[in-house]
Amino acid sequence: MPTQQYSTDFDPQRGTPVAVADGIVRVTAPNAGPYTFTGTNSFVLGREEVMILDPGPDSPSHLQALLSAIGGRRVAGILLTHTHPDHCALVPRLQSATGAPLLSGGPHRYSRKPTLSESLMRRKGIGFRLKPDTTLWDGQPLELDGLTLTAVATPGHCANHFAFAVEGTRLLLSGDHVMGWNSTLIASPDGRLSDYFASLDKVIALHQTRFVPAHGGEIADGRGFAKALKAHRMMRNSQIVDALGTGPQSLRQITAAIYPQLRGRLALAAQQTVLAHLEYLADKDAISLKRGIFGVRAWLSA
């Protein structure tokens, strides 16, 4: 089984254009945090005419850094890997500055229908309001100035996630689907583990093996790393089944058993990830799952 090893050795050089490959420049936003690592990596794609991938958070300084990197060139489009605000909140300001159309997998949507309590806990953020001028489809070619991309639907982290393969190279712009600094958050109902597994299998099969994510540095062996991510998630499934061997438990109890070191907001995020695992296991009839007024409880299936 592949062993998962993360790398946090990355200098973002925030606000400074950094060449990633011919025709691809990275500009990292100033939004470092526990969920974003050193900040969101935005990309300027193309040469004489460009597209911007993942403009990032609503930051005036990051907008100015992107406009400086664009340098007066025509912006043919704004691409999104997905509609979480750390990737898309700057879209309205960037569109106002450039007049560029938006291309994405559609407005934000959940991977499953949220329960009433989940709906009440979540606010409809900017991702739900962003309606693309072009809705991407799986396998769609995107011709840029000097680059050809292929849109690769990779749901799992959220329902409308896309990665972008750079044709004629080994490069995959992997968004949040595969990142080298940490495992990807699969938070139900935003994400779905079965979709994530299928999307990992899809990128493992690609010609592109050098992954450049939206947070952190390049992954030289993206294929091997994706295999290790899948093995890591399967290990978590086994841990949850083992934890339920002592009898029915609440979502909070299971999370505390799997992630005993986490507290506060990180523990709440871990609960959403554990819920995604529980839903996956319930779909496989490995466990039973019940939602009630006092929360979620799970037990091994008979």
Side-chain angles (χ1 to χ4, degrees):
M1 178 179 293
T3 302
Q4 187 66 295
Q5 294 184 333
Y6 303 113
S7 173
T8 56
D9 183 17
F10 173 64
D11 179 8
Q13 301 181 57
R14 295 183 190 90
T16 300
V18 177
V20 173
D22 188 23
I24 301 177
V25 170
R26 186 192 77 234
V27 183
T28 302
N31 62 328
Y35 301 116
T36 57
F37 188 39
T38 56
T40 302
N41 296 330
S42 302
F43 296 94
V44 181
L45 310 174
R47 296 186 181 89
E48 298 304 315
E49 183 177 83
V50 300
M51 283 191 175
I52 308 302
L53 174 63
D54 285 348
D58 187 8
S59 162
S61 66
H62 189 52
L63 174 63
Q64 290 306 311
L66 284 176
L67 292 176
S68 178
I70 292 165
R73 291 174 290 179
R74 178 177 178 270
V75 180
I78 299 169
L79 279 172
L80 294 179
T81 59
H82 63 297
T83 44
H84 285 155
D86 58 311
H87 294 254
C88 72
L90 194 61
V91 166
R93 287 182 189 262
L94 187 59
Q95 283 192 302
S96 179
T98 65
L102 177 64
L103 300 85
S104 75
H108 194 76
R109 61 187 185 274
Y110 295 121
S111 293
R112 64 160 171 81
K113 183 178 179 180
T115 64
L116 178 60
S117 61
E118 287 169 339
S119 295
L120 293 174
M121 288 173 63
R122 289 169 169 81
R123 297 178 180 178
K124 298 290 187 180
I126 186 171
F128 290 94
R129 301 192 298 271
L130 287 176
K131 293 181 172 55
D133 299 283
T134 298
T135 300
L136 299 170
W137 44 270
D138 188 28
Q140 180 175 354
L142 298 168
E143 298 290 340
L144 312 182
D145 178 29
L147 291 174
T148 299
L149 304 182
T150 297
V152 183
T154 47
H157 176 59
C158 71
N160 64 357
H161 194 287
F162 272 81
F164 296 92
V166 184
E167 296 305 327
T169 78
R170 293 285 185 176
L171 194 69
L172 179 75
L173 299 163
S174 58
D176 282 6
H177 182 53
V178 177
M179 301 178 290
W181 73 281
N182 206 349
S183 60
T184 298
L185 178 66
I186 312 298
S188 183
D190 210 36
R192 190 177 183 89
L193 191 57
S194 57
D195 290 343
Y196 186 66
F197 282 154
S199 295
L200 283 177
D201 289 340
K202 181 183 287 188
V203 299
I204 287 168
L206 291 176
H207 168 78
Q208 286 75 15
T209 58
R210 175 187 164 203
F211 292 6
V212 177
H215 304 278
E218 176 184 319
I219 307 166
D221 180 14
R223 182 177 295 160
F225 196 87
K227 290 178 180 178
L229 277 177
K230 185 174 181 179
H232 175 76
R233 288 294 181 187
M234 296 304 292
M235 179 271 294
R236 290 295 189 209
N237 281 336
S238 297
Q239 284 184 314
I240 290 170
V241 170
D242 290 343
L244 292 175
T246 59
Q249 295 187 47
S250 69
L251 175 60
R252 181 177 295 180
Q253 288 172 317
I254 299 166
T255 304
I258 303 301
Y259 299 99
Q261 77 281 9
L262 296 184
R263 299 290 184 273
R265 290 177 60 194
L266 291 178
L268 292 175
Q271 283 188 32
Q272 291 180 298
T273 293
V274 170
L275 179 56
H277 279 271
L278 292 174
E279 291 171 349
Y280 174 84
L281 290 167
D283 288 343
K284 299 293 184 183
D285 295 323
I287 69 166
S288 296
L289 188 66
K290 182 178 181 181
R291 293 178 173 86
I293 58 174
F294 298 110
V296 175
R297 291 186 66 79
W299 58 94
L300 295 181
S301 296

